[in-house]
Amino acid sequence: MNRTNGIEQEIKGRNALEVQLGRKLEDNNTGEVVTFESSEGHLTCPDSIARNERGEIDLIHDHKHKSGADDQVVYNDSQMRAEREMLEAKNGNHIVTISSDYPNLDAVPPKPRPSGPMGKESTVYYSDPEKGKITREWEFNPDLPGGGYWKLLE
C-alpha cells in the first residue's frame, strides 16, 4: 500500500512539475533507466530527468511523499547529493517536489519541509496531492526556524 501510494504521489509530483516548468520530464522508472554512482559511492536513480538541446541531463527531479505526521523533513542525504552530482549541464537544476498527508505549511517550522542544506542547494516545491499541482516554493532563510518558509505561488 505504502509503495503504491508513493508511486501515485511521484506521478502526481512529476505531472505538477511539468505544468509548473512548462517542460516535459522523462519518467526514469520505466524504459531505459538512467542511474549514476556518485563520488561517495552512492548509486542513484532519480524519479525524472530532462535533457537540454545538447543531450546533457540538465534537470533531475525527485519526489518525496511524507505519509506520517511525525518526521516530515526531507534531508540532504547521499541520494540527494548524488542526484546533484549527476547533472551534466553547467546550469543544471536539481528539483525536489514534496507532498504530505499531514501538511501544515504555515507552521513554525513548516511541515513538510527540506532540511537546511537541502533547501539551500536544491529547488524545492510543495506539490499539493489533492489539487495535483505545485502550490508553493521553498524560500531558504537560515535565520528562520526550519531554515525557511513556503512561499505561496497561487
Side-chain angles (χ1 to χ4, degrees):
M1 171 63 183
N2 195 25
R3 173 117 174 98
T4 303
N5 186 43
I7 292 169
E8 180 182 315
Q9 296 304 327
E10 174 192 319
I11 292 168
K12 285 182 181 180
R14 179 176 22 263
N15 292 341
L17 185 58
E18 286 180 339
V19 170
Q20 179 70 25
L21 300 176
R23 183 174 184 191
K24 184 75 176 145
L25 303 177
E26 297 174 35
D27 177 351
N28 195 41
N29 295 307
T30 59
E32 188 178 328
V33 175
V34 178
T35 60
F36 177 80
E37 185 172 350
S38 73
S39 58
E40 297 176 33
H42 184 92
L43 184 65
T44 190
C45 174
D47 294 330
S48 318
I49 63 170
R51 298 177 185 273
N52 62 20
E53 62 282 350
R54 292 186 299 279
E56 300 167 321
I57 296 173
D58 71 338
L59 190 149
I60 303 263
H61 165 245
D62 208 273
H63 183 79
K64 298 296 183 191
H65 181 74
K66 295 298 187 174
S67 57
D70 293 332
D71 184 19
Q72 291 213 18
V73 178
V74 176
Y75 294 96
N76 190 43
D77 60 14
S78 58
Q79 175 192 4
M80 297 294 125
R81 292 189 301 272
E83 288 177 0
R84 282 193 297 274
E85 194 178 322
M86 184 179 180
L87 288 163
E88 297 170 340
K90 284 184 183 178
N91 62 344
N93 197 2
H94 181 247
I95 300 176
V96 178
T97 51
I98 304 174
S99 58
S100 173
D101 291 337
Y102 300 96
N104 190 347
L105 303 178
D106 297 316
V108 179
K111 293 181 178 184
R113 66 178 172 84
S115 69
M118 183 80 217
K120 180 180 179 182
E121 297 183 36
S122 298
T123 301
V124 183
Y125 292 109
Y126 181 74
S127 178
D128 188 309
E130 291 182 18
K131 294 181 181 178
K133 65 185 222 175
I134 303 291
T135 58
R136 299 188 185 216
E137 181 174 4
W138 185 254
E139 287 289 322
F140 173 73
N141 183 331
D143 298 328
L144 294 176
Y149 67 95
W150 288 112
K151 178 178 77 175
L152 194 59
L153 296 176
E154 296 181 304

